[in-house]
Amino acid sequence: MAAYILKRILLMVPTLFGVLLVTFAVIQFVPGGPVQQYMAEARAGAGQGGAESGGLSYRGAQGVDPKRLAQIKALYGFDKPAPERFVQMLGRFARFDLGRSFFQNKDVWQLIREKMPVSISLGLWTFFISYLVSVPLGVAKAVRAGSRFDLASTLLVLVGYAIPGFVLGLALLVIFGGQLQWFPLRGLTSSNFDELSLLGKVVDYLWHITLPVLSMVAGSFAVTAMLTKNSMLEEIRKQYVLTARAKGLSERRILWKHVFRNALIPIITGFPAAFIGAFFTGSLLIETLFSLDGLGLLSYESVIRRDYPVVLGTLYFFTLLGLVTKLISDLCYVWVDPRVRFD
């Protein structure tokens, strides 16, 4: 087991290197970088100033002063060749130094910590609600396989799965936030949140988080519920269930002590990936729709503004988190099912 874990950890290094190398190479060919944006803003400012003063101070046609341009390139680190900048970036990332944002004048780690509470709120509620509903629903569907309840619940969860989260969120926002005005239209808390009592803060938070969580969780029931149902049905058909029935065990005892424990193996092993994925999957559109300042919106804005330290830093963080989560998911197989041996 130790050798397997060590090998997986060592394999993370070339994976991270490949992801960062491809992204860094693509960035070099993307137009409109920080230096180009500064030059465009300088030309626009010079043009506006020339128009206001009768054209005497217009310098847009002459471009940006070469010395000033060299200073801007040095400020952003573009005065060095791309290979040298890439090696320096790898050295910083090896020390878990993600750099500093070009435009927000903050460390990337600080930005991630500031945006994390929103993503954690959405992720935790989505994860727990989806599993607390899907697993019992899957068990009930397996016990009543082929019944009207099974068909109706399958149709319902598949409809929820087919509707994109942002479409459902838009509908909920228009109906319950705009027309009925039952829920707020934006934000995670009210403007007077700090003035509320403890109970008032809890109610205010739940009041704001309801619509975003419903938008994200509606499509997550289908996969887990159907996986639970199929796993239960597969275990029910096995020989040990017939043996337990022949010994006179009750159906309730067989279902919950034997069948349910074995059926949960593929579900439990997917907990780490689902737990981490709930933080980031589909959060961009939901955060934009409900004006929630989270990690998804941070990544999107950094790409649009060409804030390369934030782009590469968050990519490194997300990729490393995903690789570690995948390793934990694989190790869960051994923890849940002792028959599994990676050797």
Side-chain angles (χ1 to χ4, degrees):
M1 178 63 69
Y4 174 79
I5 296 176
L6 179 61
K7 183 174 71 173
R8 288 290 300 272
I9 293 176
L10 293 177
L11 286 175
M12 292 180 185
V13 177
T15 304
L16 282 170
F17 177 81
V19 171
L20 293 174
L21 178 62
V22 172
T23 307
F24 186 85
V26 170
I27 284 176
Q28 306 310 307
F29 300 99
V30 175
V35 178
Q36 289 80 4
Q37 290 185 15
Y38 172 82
M39 293 171 61
E41 292 175 0
R43 291 193 180 100
Q48 184 178 0
E52 293 174 353
S53 59
L56 296 178
S57 61
Y58 174 70
R59 300 179 56 194
Q62 300 176 9
V64 181
D65 182 68
K67 293 183 179 180
R68 181 58 177 167
L69 180 60
Q71 293 176 355
I72 295 301
K73 287 185 177 180
L75 177 64
Y76 292 141
F78 288 96
D79 57 330
K80 301 175 182 178
E84 183 178 351
R85 287 187 279 116
F86 181 70
V87 172
Q88 291 179 351
M89 183 191 70
L90 291 180
R92 293 197 309 269
F93 284 1
R95 303 190 302 269
F96 293 98
D97 179 10
L98 302 185
R100 195 172 184 84
S101 171
F102 286 158
F103 301 103
Q104 303 190 46
N105 197 27
K106 293 181 180 179
D107 292 335
V108 177
W109 277 121
Q110 182 180 353
L111 289 173
I112 292 177
R113 288 194 298 267
E114 290 177 357
K115 313 300 182 182
M116 188 69 79
V118 174
S119 298
I120 289 179
S121 295
L122 293 175
L124 285 177
W125 284 111
T126 301
F127 174 79
F128 286 117
I129 292 177
S130 62
Y131 271 87
L132 288 175
V133 173
S134 299
V135 173
L137 179 61
V139 173
K141 287 170 64 62
V143 174
R144 301 173 178 84
S147 64
R148 292 182 178 179
F149 170 79
D150 183 26
L151 297 177
S153 58
T154 299
L155 178 62
L156 186 63
V157 296
L158 290 180
V159 169
Y161 182 76
I163 300 176
F166 71 93
V167 174
L168 178 61
L170 183 61
L172 293 175
L173 196 62
V174 171
I175 297 173
F176 296 101
Q179 296 179 355
L180 299 177
Q181 298 184 356
W182 290 354
F183 295 95
L185 296 176
R186 56 181 300 163
L188 196 62
T189 56
S190 300
S191 58
N192 61 338
F193 181 77
D194 295 332
E195 302 174 1
L196 301 176
S197 62
L198 179 60
L199 180 59
K201 290 181 178 180
V202 173
V203 173
D204 182 76
Y205 167 75
L206 294 177
W207 184 46
H208 281 77
I209 203 68
T210 299
L211 294 185
V213 169
L214 286 178
S215 304
M216 295 185 64
V217 80
S220 61
F221 293 139
V223 175
T224 308
M226 298 306 295
L227 177 62
T228 305
K229 173 191 173 183
N230 294 334
S231 299
M232 291 284 294
L233 291 177
E234 183 180 355
E235 293 296 324
I236 289 175
R237 299 188 184 102
K238 290 186 176 180
Q239 185 65 38
Y240 74 87
V241 176
L242 297 177
T243 304
R245 287 171 177 167
K247 290 182 177 180
L249 295 180
S250 64
E251 288 293 327
R252 184 181 182 87
R253 183 179 179 84
I254 294 173
L255 179 66
W256 294 107
K257 187 174 181 178
H258 300 284
V259 175
F260 183 69
R261 289 179 58 184
N262 292 328
L264 280 183
I265 291 177
I267 300 172
I268 293 177
T269 51
F271 271 9
F275 183 74
I276 299 298
F279 292 156
F280 312 111
T281 305
S283 61
L284 168 60
L285 296 175
I286 300 300
E287 290 176 9
T288 304
L289 184 62
F290 291 94
S291 300
L292 302 175
D293 193 10
L295 289 174
L297 192 59
L298 172 66
S299 302
Y300 173 74
E301 290 179 347
S302 61
V303 171
I304 296 300
R305 301 182 64 182
R306 306 295 192 268
D307 198 347
Y308 296 146
V310 180
V311 173
L312 293 169
T314 54
L315 177 68
Y316 173 77
F317 173 69
F318 293 157
T319 305
L320 182 62
L321 196 62
L323 292 173
V324 173
T325 302
K326 183 62 178 176
L327 175 60
I328 296 175
S329 298
D330 292 343
L331 295 179
C332 284
Y333 279 101
V334 179
W335 176 65
V336 174
D337 190 353
R339 298 171 297 178
V340 176
R341 291 289 184 272
F342 288 119
D343 298 337

